[in-house]
């Protein structure tokens, strides 16, 4: 007994639109039509459709289904490649689940930078934005150090820097830079690569430098940038006085 398109789709556990799509891409032959113009599918159409659906369930791309059905011996190679892609997809999904669990546990923003879920809610929007950029510019070792620095207890210096207005006066800027320099100096001592991060870049040096400069210019007002520059200069001097001159990471 011949089947209509709807009946064939129901038998194969799919939809009419899917059957029509397989016709359009040449995977499933068009059947003959009855005198009334309706298509009439037979057992060989159903078997072909079931085989196509089996390949689809395995995740085989439509473009490769015809090759796998031809029996030319290429199935093993195609399936090996597919298995590798599925493994990578599973790893991505497992990482996504772990991130979701961390976001929920720490009540972090849903778009918190990967790996920073535990501290994201404690950081300013500006700091979170910079960390998003860091994740594209630095390698995993550097990001692990950034995580440690981000997890440090926040002080009133962070709040003061966040509150600094663009027209802040000279005395206010210098005092804030002096206070911030102590924290930066300790970071330079604990993480020497900060003074020359070349060995930890995931992009080339020019792209990283330009991206960092552009991001800082957009996210920080002129007064904050001025304070950061001053604090950096003072931090190097403090580190030298402690006998820990900042130097490139030798790892």
């Amino acid at each position: 007994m011949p089947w209509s398109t709807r009946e064939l789709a129901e038998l194969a556990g799919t939809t009419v639109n899917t059957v029509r799509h397989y016709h359009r891409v040449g995977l499933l032959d068009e059947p003959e039509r009855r005198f009334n113009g309706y298509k009439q599918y037979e057992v060989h159409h159903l078997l072909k459709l079931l085989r196509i659906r089996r390949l689809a369930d395995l995740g085989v791309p439509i473009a490769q289904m015809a090759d796998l059905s031809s029996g030319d011996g290429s199935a093993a190679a195609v399936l090996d490649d597919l298995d590798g892609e599925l493994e990578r997809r599973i790893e991505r999904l497992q990482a996504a689940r772990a991130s979701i669990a961390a976001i929920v546990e720490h009540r972090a923003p849903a778009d918190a930078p990967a790996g920073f879920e535990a501290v994201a809610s404690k950081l300013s929007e500006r700091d979170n934005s910079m960390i998003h950029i860091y994740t594209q510019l630095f390698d995993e070792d550097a990001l692990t150090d950034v995580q440690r620095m981000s997890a440090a207890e926040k002080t009133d210096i962070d709040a003061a820097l966040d509150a600094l207005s663009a027209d802040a006066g000279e005395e206010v800027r210098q005092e804030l830079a002096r206070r911030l320099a102590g924290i930066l100096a300790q970071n330079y001592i604990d993480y020497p690569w900060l003074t020359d991060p070349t060995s930890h870049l995931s992009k080339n040096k020019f792209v990283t430098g330009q991206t960092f400069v552009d991001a800082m210019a957009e996210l920080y007002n002129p007064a904050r940038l001025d304070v950061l520059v001053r604090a950096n200069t003072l931090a190097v001097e403090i580190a030298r006085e402690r006998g820990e001159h900042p130097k490139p990471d030798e790892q």
Side-chain angles (χ1 to χ4, degrees), residues 55 58-61 77-87 89:
L55 295 176
L58 292 176
V60 176
V78 172
L79 292 177
D80 281 344
D81 290 343
L82 178 60
D83 185 62
E85 174 56 33
L86 290 174
E87 182 177 11
R89 192 182 305 171

Side-chain angles (χ1 to χ4, degrees), residues 31 43 67 109 115 117 138 155 165 179 181 191:
V43 171
D67 293 336
E117 296 86 357
F138 298 108
T155 68
S165 62
R179 296 168 63 198
Y191 310 103

Side-chain angles (χ1 to χ4, degrees), residues 8-242:
L8 179 75
E10 289 179 354
L11 280 170
T14 187
T15 67
V16 170
N17 285 337
T18 299
V19 173
R20 290 171 177 166
H21 179 64
Y22 291 152
H23 286 322
R24 286 194 298 270
V25 298
L27 279 177
L28 185 63
D29 292 337
E30 291 267 6
E32 295 181 359
R33 293 181 180 270
R34 302 178 186 177
F35 65 90
N36 58 7
Y38 287 101
K39 296 174 183 175
Q40 50 182 16
Y41 293 91
E42 299 180 4
V43 171
H44 67 91
H45 294 109
L46 175 60
L47 290 173
K48 180 65 174 179
L49 181 55
L50 291 173
R51 290 189 174 99
I52 293 171
R53 295 306 300 161
R54 173 58 176 160
L55 295 176
D57 288 342
L58 292 176
V60 176
I62 286 179
Q64 294 178 303
M65 287 183 181
D67 293 336
L68 293 186
S69 299
S70 66
D72 62 359
S74 63
V78 172
L79 292 177
D80 281 344
D81 290 343
L82 178 60
D83 185 62
E85 174 56 33
L86 290 174
E87 182 177 11
R88 291 186 290 273
R89 192 182 305 171
I90 289 170
E91 291 173 355
R92 290 193 295 269
L93 291 173
Q94 289 175 333
R97 291 196 67 197
S99 292
I100 289 172
I103 288 170
V104 172
E105 177 184 356
H106 298 288
R107 298 182 179 179
D111 59 356
F116 290 81
E117 296 86 357
V119 298
S121 61
K122 304 175 184 178
L123 301 177
S124 68
E125 177 64 25
R126 182 168 45 255
D127 288 341
N128 273 303
S129 296
M130 286 303 300
I131 289 174
H132 267 299
I133 293 174
Y134 293 161
T135 62
Q136 301 305 306
L137 300 180
F138 298 108
D139 64 18
E140 291 186 8
D141 289 339
L143 291 174
T144 297
D145 288 343
V146 174
Q147 289 170 11
R148 294 192 184 103
M149 287 183 276
S150 300
E153 191 68 29
K154 297 305 166 186
T155 68
D156 60 344
I157 299 175
D158 300 286
L161 185 62
D162 286 339
L164 193 67
S165 62
D167 59 354
E170 169 67 21
E171 185 176 341
V172 173
R173 296 187 191 196
Q174 188 60 25
E175 173 61 17
L176 184 53
R178 182 191 65 77
R179 296 168 63 198
L180 181 59
I183 296 175
L184 293 181
Q186 191 59 53
N187 285 340
Y188 291 157
I189 293 168
D190 294 340
Y191 310 103
W193 66 268
L194 288 172
T195 61
D196 183 6
T198 304
S199 63
H200 290 284
L201 301 183
S202 59
K203 303 288 191 301
N204 71 58
K205 192 171 183 178
F206 174 78
V207 170
T208 298
Q210 190 61 53
T211 302
F212 184 79
V213 168
D214 291 345
M216 293 290 288
E218 181 167 330
L219 295 173
Y220 290 80
N221 67 32
R224 295 189 188 108
L225 288 174
D226 180 46
V227 167
L228 291 174
V229 171
R230 296 187 193 202
N232 179 71
T233 302
L234 291 171
V236 172
E237 295 177 359
I238 293 171
R240 285 173 178 165
E241 291 173 359
R242 294 177 182 174

